[in-house]
Amino acid sequence: MPNAEEISRIRFELARAGYYGENTVKTFYAIRVISLIAPQLFILVLWGFLVTKMDMTYVILMAGVTAIIGLLAPNWFVRWKQKRRTLRCREGFPDMMDLMVACIEAGLGLDAALIRVSHELGGRYPPLKVNLEIMNLELRAGSDRHEAMMGFANRINLDEAKALDIMLKQAEEMGSSMGKALRTFSEDMRTKRMLRAEEKAMALSAKLTVPLIIFIFPTLMIMLLLPAGLRIAEGLQ
């Protein structure tokens, strides 16, 4: 059985994937055991039929492959969920910054602004809303703001969130305007999102080269050479 440190690590990884329940670790281990054992039981039930249709070596190889897949598939699924949620958080982070700037400039404090932003983001970016609410609960429980925001950044796995935490801490220590600092940071985040979109657009032509060569170019060659090939065949007859 895993020790306390391993359980904490797995709970953190599951939280990144969006699973925050009390029994998530137990459920995860149960799914790993089921995904490992269930295919082997299925192969054992069909053993007689498989041996008559296939060679024994292939049956054993199939059992080994299914065991490896069953052991690794839950981890693959968790990592896929993490990447998907991180992408959603990255898409919504500039909008979150715009809302924070609006709230701060309207006169709200930082903690109240975070609560307001979490309510406004719920419909469009649920992963950000959930993690902001967790951070707000930690702040209400008396956690340090820097630690709570760093935990928020680690859960959504965004470097932008870590940079926000550092920027807010420096602005608070130096006594500078929070609204101006957030507005500058928000403009920077929106510029980065635009640059990422332009980068994807520029890479699209290179990505389309392989499908064009594989699918469209042979079709064009067939269309151009088929009439000449038919005439040559008729002449040879």
Side-chain angles (χ1 to χ4, degrees), residues 97-195:
M97 292 306 307
D98 290 341
L99 289 172
M100 285 187 64
V101 171
C103 292
I104 293 295
E105 291 183 347
L108 292 178
L110 184 57
D111 294 343
L114 290 171
I115 295 173
R116 183 65 180 177
V117 169
S118 66
H119 291 316
E120 296 295 333
L121 287 175
R124 190 171 181 183
Y125 302 107
L128 272 178
K129 170 184 169 62
V130 172
N131 285 285
L132 280 172
E133 288 179 344
I134 293 174
M135 182 177 67
N136 291 328
L137 289 174
E138 291 175 350
L139 291 173
R140 289 180 183 178
S143 297
D144 181 70
R145 183 183 297 161
H146 172 66
E147 294 179 357
M149 294 199 70
M150 187 57 68
F152 165 76
N154 290 328
R155 282 193 302 272
I156 64 176
N157 196 24
L158 278 184
D159 293 334
E160 293 90 337
K162 296 177 182 178
L164 172 65
D165 173 47
I166 295 172
M167 185 272 297
L168 289 176
K169 185 178 180 181
Q170 291 177 348
E172 187 175 2
E173 290 176 351
M174 298 177 65
S176 58
S177 174
M178 194 73 70
K180 291 181 179 179
L182 284 173
R183 178 168 291 280
T184 303
F185 190 83
S186 176
E187 292 175 354
D188 184 50
M189 291 299 100
R190 196 162 292 280
T191 301
K192 287 183 178 180
R193 185 164 73 171
M194 185 63 66
L195 290 175

Side-chain angles (χ1 to χ4, degrees), residues 193-212:
R193 185 164 73 171
M194 185 63 66
L195 290 175
R196 283 195 297 265
E198 292 177 355
E199 182 181 356
K200 291 181 179 179
M202 294 293 290
L204 185 61
S205 58
K207 293 180 180 179
L208 286 175
T209 302
V210 175
L212 286 173

